[in-house]
Amino acid sequence: MKRIFTIITTFAVATSLSARNGNAPSVTPHQNHTPVSKLAPDEYMANTMIFNMLPEFRSVCSNEHINIPELNDFFTMIGAVQVKKIYPNEKQPETKFNKYGQKMVDITLIYQVTFTSALDLDKAIGKMFNLGYCEYVEPHYIPKCTLVPNDPQATQAQSYYLYTVHAAGSTQSGWDISTGSTSVIIGIVDTGTELTHSDLVNQFAHNAADPVNGVDDDLDGYVDNYTGWDVALNDNDATWQGNAHGVAVCGDADAQVNNNNKVAGPGFNCKIMPVKIADATGALTAGYEGITYAADHGCGVINCSWGGTGGGSYGQSIITYATVNKDALVVCAAGNDGLDEAFYPAAYDYVLSVAATQNGDSRASFSNWNYTVDVDAPGVNILSTWTSNSTVANSGTSMASPITSGCAAIVRSFYPGYNAMQTGERLKQTADNIYSVAGNTGPTYADKLGTGRINLYRALTDPTTTPSVIYSNINFDDHNDEAFVANDTVRITGLFTNYLATTTNLVATLSVVTGGTYVSVLDGSTTVGALATMGTATHVPDPFQVKILPTAPINQQIDFKLTMTDGSYSANQYFSLIVNVDYINITVNDVWTTNTSKGLIGYNGPNQVQGLGFDYHSIPTGTLMYESSFMVGKSSSAVDDMVRGATPGQTDADFSSTSNVRLVAVPVSDFDTDGKFSDAVSPAPLPCTVHHTTYAWGTFPHQKYVIFQYIVKNTGATSMSGVYVGVFSDWDIDASTYALDKINEDLALRMGYAYCTNPGGYYCGIKLLTTSAPFVHYGIDNVTGGGGGVNIYDGYSTAEKYTTLSTGRATAGGAGTGNDVCDVVSAGPYTIAAGDSVKVAFALIVGDNLADLQSGAVDAQTMYDGIPLSSVEVDQTGSSLLNLFPNPTSGQTEIHYSVATAGSTELRLMDASGRLVREIASGTKQPGEYIERFDAASLTDGIYFIQFISDGNVSTRKVVIAH
């Protein structure tokens, strides 16, 4: 039903793929969920993770076991007490797309694991994801209930909402047109209900194929699910426990009409299926499982009057499953925080999100508003069913949502040919505009209350001549590194889908809502033309084009508005893009890692939210690194870094970018990055600025390391002494058994290294490349008490950081098979005069064994020693190899490149050993952007490199050929 795209659960009464799969872009989200560090303890289940296995491991996945040794070692390490499929009875979709061409979702590989160890949940999630077997790993979010009943003596006058939405009334009554069908079922996914309530008892849908007799007669895996199901406690009693919220919601949607008793709901003849998602205390422990149950058991409309600000991939998968796979319209409350915010599941795609109004159509003071809202409905003083066969008035978007669900059920009854999305779009297109009502006017609420307050009469009687177009599958491409930085031109394409009446000449126009001073729209219009009902169209030949201006701040969100018009039809949709991002993925050789703009290495923040870690492509278990950062300090009270702080769960953030990391157009290596940051944001700055550069090569024998160089400048007025410059890394050589790691050092090579004691375990090292100060190495036991060294298990204080920077500890990992370890390699002490600087460089290296690691260290030193001094400041304006598409490839492949100065150019295809395989193109080119093509059909599978030579400058990109 959406609308706005940006990658980020309370009752609503008064809430990426592994980098190993193909060629990683220069910027990619690593995980896509809200970390528990940003939530209250009661907003998630402790010691519980939800994860989705990658489909290539299906053959080793059973209901309660996954036959992958590394994963099972991890489960043992965290003390897993239960690993189980959440949906063991589901079947894998037989087709990839539904009949409308929408991609279906597979939920058969979603698991939940509970564990007993004291490992921080965010860290456990990061470590499990880093194994490389899961599409996502997330917390199990717990939505909240905030219902507070109003006056229990509410009068019948409070049924105003039935007249406001034009269900009842002397004129323009939707019920005069249709009272719905008993074949349309509204799934009330909530805390349960009162099965004997006189205004509900005749409204429940019953499963005649499974009467209450102790037998699973219909063989659906649920015994006696005659009247709904308790998903949380896995029994057939959907009676409420702990919180009666669901009793009210059932009546809001479909309390019995014309029975001369109590209240009425808009759903009239439509039926209710109660699906209880709360445990005995009333906590919502099974919200998304409830949606799945309702979708699987024939509900045409599913109501969710709950949610929160925590959202992730799991929730979106379940919404997609219900809508696309099962053709159920999911209606959700937009939230009661009184804020402009996204609230989940309401903010997911394919949801009809409902905000609340009061009598008179002004926004209810408690209701959220946002670009993700689709429609509004009354939500203040709504008289409905309550416990002990009573009635009570409640307020909240929890009430607005089921009122909308009841109306949606009538629409599905009246238009039996409509699918779920068409039903929701019909309600959107026939809603009454309320933006002129006092309280809804002005820019604060513009387009953030959806299309208006629902009108059941119009939904049933308006001529079906209005289109309803949604723009989805949005893709951003800069024909370069996908980093979207200053001066890049971003090309935006997507899919237009028309759900209702045919368009004649649909035109889409792009504009900027926020951040307009930081981008320039070069081409903001495309003509789609005629689109039939359920027709689709792309505009790849005519993309929107937006240029990012040099003034764009770091990680600036640009909010776009897409206006689609066709005659009198006009609809707005919103989506966002983060520009001038402050990290770049380095994927030119066998080590995939990330350089950031603020001193972090591997990831752009805590909880592995962006970046590739330190990923070695010869092994199947994902990244070898949990956390890493540049460090600089001059005393036990003055150390700057970006790693864990003195308090557990705290992260120090002492650096900020002054020049975002960027690709170097004329590189020294095959892939250079360059940027600057300072410690001005530190609570106790040294002070300093740091100019950082990385170098990586893709040819043998240099594929197993990346060089990080730092030039530290004293920006203070006095000289600094006792300065140490280093790199901290929390190594998890095998994330499934990181408690089997050890630390050692090689003094001759000036290298500290970590290794896994498992047979065939891998090695990772940090080697000091510069010789301007002595080599210092400190191995850390990341265990309770510190194992004889500094104890960072209870926090990593400034004094402890300076100790690890300035003193030596050769080994860590204990006397046995090892434990969790970290490592610090540094150089010092330096004395840096005011305005002066020092240059320190490190190689981060991986090896199949110790000899291989040592060989890589020697190679890294050789290459670093050959880097010219003039490469410290690099011109960014030369010719460059921009992009390869597709990559990986098995056939025709496009090579995009730019020429800065007229002259001879040459494109070559090289194999992994540096041997010339094919001359692709050569000749004289004028300045501009070009595309060449080559056919990989006849080449053997493996890693190759495209080499581009222009005016003596050489740039290289890796291409993977896989048939």
Side-chain angles (χ1 to χ4, degrees):
M1 220 64 52
K2 300 289 181 287
R3 87 242 198 187
I4 181 169
F5 297 76
T6 37
I7 303 298
I8 286 221
T9 342
T10 40
F11 266 131
V13 183
T15 133
S16 36
L17 292 175
S18 168
R20 311 188 70 79
N21 296 333
N23 189 48
S26 292
V27 178
T28 181
H30 207 57
Q31 285 253 64
N32 187 30
H33 67 269
T34 305
V36 299
S37 59
K38 296 183 178 181
L39 301 174
D42 60 351
E43 292 184 274
Y44 62 93
M45 284 189 184
N47 291 46
T48 304
M49 298 181 287
I50 289 176
F51 62 95
N52 191 25
M53 293 296 294
L54 290 167
E56 53 260 44
F57 302 110
R58 181 181 302 277
S59 63
V60 296
C61 295
S62 60
N63 286 351
E64 297 184 355
H65 182 72
I66 301 170
N67 189 21
I68 298 176
E70 293 87 357
L71 197 56
N72 288 312
D73 288 343
F74 174 78
F75 290 150
T76 300
M77 184 266 300
I78 64 173
V81 294
Q82 185 180 50
V83 179
K84 65 176 183 178
K85 277 188 178 181
I86 297 179
Y87 306 108
N89 298 321
E90 295 293 341
K91 304 295 183 184
Q92 185 182 1
E94 295 181 358
T95 60
K96 194 171 185 178
F97 301 93
N98 68 10
K99 64 181 180 180
Y100 305 109
Q102 297 167 316
K103 187 175 181 180
M104 294 199 287
V105 67
D106 180 7
I107 64 172
T108 61
L109 295 177
I110 300 175
Y111 287 79
Q112 178 170 293
V113 58
T114 56
F115 60 92
T116 59
S117 88
L119 183 65
D120 175 81
L121 182 55
D122 277 331
K123 187 164 187 175
I125 287 170
K127 288 181 177 292
M128 183 172 175
F129 183 78
N130 291 342
L131 291 172
Y133 296 111
C134 301
E135 181 179 348
Y136 58 78
V137 184
E138 299 178 353
H140 185 143
Y141 299 109
I142 301 178
K144 292 293 181 182
C145 173
T146 56
L147 183 148
V148 179
N150 291 333
D151 181 7
Q153 304 300 319
T155 66
Q156 189 67 29
Q158 287 173 297
S159 294
Y160 76 92
Y161 67 92
L162 293 174
Y163 299 85
T164 299
V165 301
H166 293 275
S170 58
T171 60
Q172 295 190 348
S173 166
W175 288 343
D176 287 343
I177 309 303
S178 173
T179 53
S181 168
T182 58
S183 65
V184 176
I185 302 172
I186 308 167
I188 303 296
V189 178
D190 217 288
T191 62
T193 193
E194 185 166 277
L195 295 169
T196 58
H197 196 290
S198 60
D199 247 357
L200 298 176
V201 65
N202 296 321
Q203 299 299 93
F204 295 122
H206 298 296
N207 178 15
D210 197 357
V212 181
N213 59 7
V215 178
D216 182 11
D217 299 276
D218 58 1
L219 301 177
D220 67 347
Y222 302 92
V223 177
D224 297 348
N225 56 333
Y226 179 67
T227 309
W229 191 256
D230 183 343
V231 178
L233 300 181
N234 198 32
D235 61 45
N236 72 334
D237 185 3
T239 301
W240 71 275
Q241 290 176 278
N243 192 313
H245 181 271
V247 181
V249 172
C250 283
D252 291 330
D254 202 23
Q256 187 173 356
V257 184
N258 282 347
N259 63 341
N260 196 29
N261 183 57
K262 297 182 173 61
V263 293
F268 213 112
N269 288 327
C270 301
K271 294 297 183 180
I272 299 170
M273 179 183 293
V275 181
K276 180 173 173 285
I277 59 172
D279 64 15
T281 70
L284 304 186
T285 59
Y288 293 105
E289 294 92 321
I291 294 174
T292 302
Y293 179 91
D296 284 345
H297 288 82
C299 294
V301 179
I302 299 173
N303 186 81
C304 303
S305 289
W306 44 267
T309 55
S313 298
Y314 171 56
Q316 181 62 74
S317 294
I318 298 308
I319 297 297
T320 303
Y321 174 81
T323 308
V324 176
N325 293 35
K326 295 296 183 176
D327 193 28
L329 174 65
V330 184
V331 182
C332 297
N336 289 358
D337 299 315
L339 298 173
D340 180 355
E341 71 175 5
F343 191 80
Y344 297 92
Y348 286 129
D349 297 332
Y350 296 123
V351 167
L352 188 68
S353 172
V354 187
T357 57
Q358 56 189 331
N359 199 353
D361 282 339
S362 61
R363 181 188 67 86
S365 60
F366 53 77
S367 179
N368 288 349
W369 69 96
N370 192 254
Y371 286 135
T372 58
V373 170
D374 291 305
V375 293
D376 312 280
V380 176
N381 291 334
I382 306 301
L383 187 66
S384 185
T385 50
W386 196 242
T387 61
S388 301
N389 199 37
S390 67
T391 59
V392 75
N394 294 301
S395 296
T397 55
S398 272
M399 285 60 253
S401 181
I403 289 170
T404 303
S405 292
C407 292
I410 298 285
V411 173
R412 289 214 80 166
S413 302
F414 192 69
Y415 295 103
Y418 275 2
N419 61 39
M421 288 289 289
Q422 288 175 303
T423 303
E425 293 304 305
R426 179 67 175 170
L427 283 168
K428 284 171 58 179
Q429 295 305 324
T430 57
D432 289 340
N433 188 318
I434 60 173
Y435 283 103
S436 63
V437 174
N440 303 341
T441 60
T444 299
Y445 303 112
D447 283 340
K448 294 184 178 181
L449 296 175
T451 58
R453 190 254 308 126
I454 60 169
N455 184 324
L456 179 59
Y457 179 78
R458 287 188 57 196
L460 301 177
T461 61
D462 272 12
T464 55
T465 57
T466 303
S468 192
V469 181
I470 297 293
Y471 188 61
S472 62
N473 296 358
I474 301 174
N475 180 64
F476 304 97
D477 179 24
D478 66 355
H479 286 186
N480 189 1
D481 54 20
E482 313 307 331
F484 309 137
V485 297
N487 297 314
D488 278 355
T489 295
V490 182
R491 295 156 181 86
I492 305 172
T493 57
L495 179 71
F496 295 94
T497 302
N498 179 28
Y499 288 95
L500 297 178
T502 300
T503 69
T504 302
N505 186 34
L506 183 70
V507 175
T509 305
L510 187 75
S511 58
V512 181
V513 180
T514 57
T517 58
Y518 307 124
V519 297
S520 174
V521 178
L522 304 180
D523 183 350
S525 180
T526 190
T527 299
V528 182
L531 269 182
T533 302
M534 292 308 300
T536 61
T538 63
H539 62 119
V540 174
D542 182 26
F544 302 122
Q545 297 188 51
V546 178
K547 184 174 183 179
I548 303 169
L549 302 178
T551 54
I554 294 170
N555 296 323
Q556 174 65 42
Q557 179 168 309
I558 307 298
D559 294 327
F560 294 102
K561 175 181 178 180
L562 185 66
T563 300
M564 294 169 284
T565 59
D566 183 66
S568 62
Y569 168 74
S570 181
N572 296 327
Q573 189 172 325
Y574 297 83
F575 58 91
S576 299
L577 172 67
I578 306 297
V579 303
N580 217 13
V581 290
D582 59 347
Y583 68 102
I584 290 181
N585 292 338
I586 303 169
T587 59
V588 73
N589 60 27
D590 290 346
V591 174
W592 286 15
T593 190
T594 299
N595 190 24
T596 74
S597 297
K598 48 186 178 286
L600 285 164
I601 300 170
Y603 297 107
N604 198 37
N607 308 313
Q608 299 78 43
V609 291
Q610 294 170 327
L612 303 177
F614 198 73
D615 192 351
Y616 179 39
H617 284 266
S618 292
I619 63 174
T621 53
T623 180
L624 304 163
M625 171 191 291
Y626 179 76
E627 177 185 22
S628 186
S629 171
F630 169 80
M631 304 177 76
V632 58
K634 64 179 181 181
S635 71
S636 60
S637 61
V639 177
D640 291 324
D641 63 89
M642 296 290 290
V643 294
R644 65 198 72 178
T647 302
Q650 171 204 349
T651 299
D652 287 345
D654 298 329
F655 299 123
S656 62
S657 173
T658 58
S659 178
N660 268 9
V661 64
R662 57 187 179 176
L663 283 179
V664 177
V666 186
V668 172
S669 68
D670 292 335
F671 194 97
D672 296 6
T673 71
D674 184 86
K676 292 180 181 179
F677 56 83
S678 82
D679 69 345
V681 297
S682 170
L686 298 187
C688 67
T689 60
V690 181
H691 179 187
H692 57 108
T693 308
T694 65
Y695 305 99
W697 289 267
T699 54
F700 180 82
H702 306 291
Q703 303 104 313
K704 296 184 179 182
Y705 62 84
V706 177
I707 291 173
F708 291 77
Q709 176 182 275
Y710 303 96
I711 300 174
V712 182
K713 182 178 181 179
N714 177 2
T715 57
T718 61
S719 179
M720 293 192 301
S721 60
V723 176
Y724 288 83
V725 179
V727 170
F728 167 93
S729 185
D730 181 346
W731 294 112
D732 290 340
I733 304 303
D734 183 339
S736 66
T737 54
Y738 65 87
L740 298 178
D741 291 347
K742 288 199 169 193
I743 295 287
N744 211 327
E745 67 183 14
D746 187 320
L747 292 175
L749 290 173
R750 293 174 295 165
M751 176 172 65
Y753 61 90
Y755 62 98
C756 179
T757 60
N758 273 340
Y762 293 88
Y763 285 68
C764 288
I766 306 173
K767 171 178 167 49
L768 176 65
L769 295 167
T770 45
T771 57
S772 52
F775 162 76
V776 184
H777 168 245
Y778 195 102
I780 302 172
D781 286 289
N782 191 22
V783 297
T784 303
V790 297
N791 178 19
I792 71 170
Y793 204 73
D794 61 354
Y796 196 10
S797 69
T798 300
E800 289 170 331
K801 289 176 180 178
Y802 191 70
T803 295
T804 58
L805 275 172
S806 60
T807 61
R809 188 170 188 247
T811 63
T817 56
N819 50 242
D820 192 9
V821 296
C822 305
D823 211 12
V824 178
V825 172
S826 60
Y830 290 101
T831 297
I832 311 175
D836 204 355
S837 60
V838 296
K839 179 170 65 175
V840 187
F842 306 89
L844 273 63
I845 316 165
V846 65
D848 296 326
N849 48 55
L850 180 56
D852 191 35
L853 183 77
Q854 291 168 329
S855 177
V858 172
D859 293 331
Q861 188 71 62
T862 299
M863 294 301 280
Y864 182 74
D865 290 344
I867 293 175
L869 294 177
S870 60
S871 67
V872 171
E873 297 287 349
V874 182
D875 180 18
Q876 298 288 310
T877 60
S879 304
S880 62
L881 186 59
L882 300 177
N883 199 17
L884 306 174
F885 182 82
N887 191 6
T889 183
S890 60
Q892 286 290 329
T893 306
E894 290 187 356
I895 306 169
H896 297 251
Y897 62 98
S898 68
V899 176
T901 305
S904 61
T905 63
E906 189 173 0
L907 278 170
R908 299 173 173 177
L909 179 68
M910 321 290 289
D911 66 15
S913 68
R915 180 180 62 87
L916 176 65
V917 175
R918 184 181 300 174
E919 187 82 38
I920 297 173
S922 62
T924 301
K925 296 288 186 184
Q926 297 299 314
E929 291 190 9
Y930 295 89
I931 299 175
E932 299 286 352
R933 295 173 177 83
F934 77 95
D935 191 350
S938 62
L939 297 171
T940 58
D941 290 359
I943 295 175
Y944 294 77
F945 295 90
I946 301 296
Q947 187 179 76
F948 173 52
I949 304 172
S950 178
D951 291 337
N953 299 315
V954 180
S955 56
T956 305
R957 282 290 181 94
K958 180 169 68 175
V959 59
V960 178
I961 296 177
H963 292 91

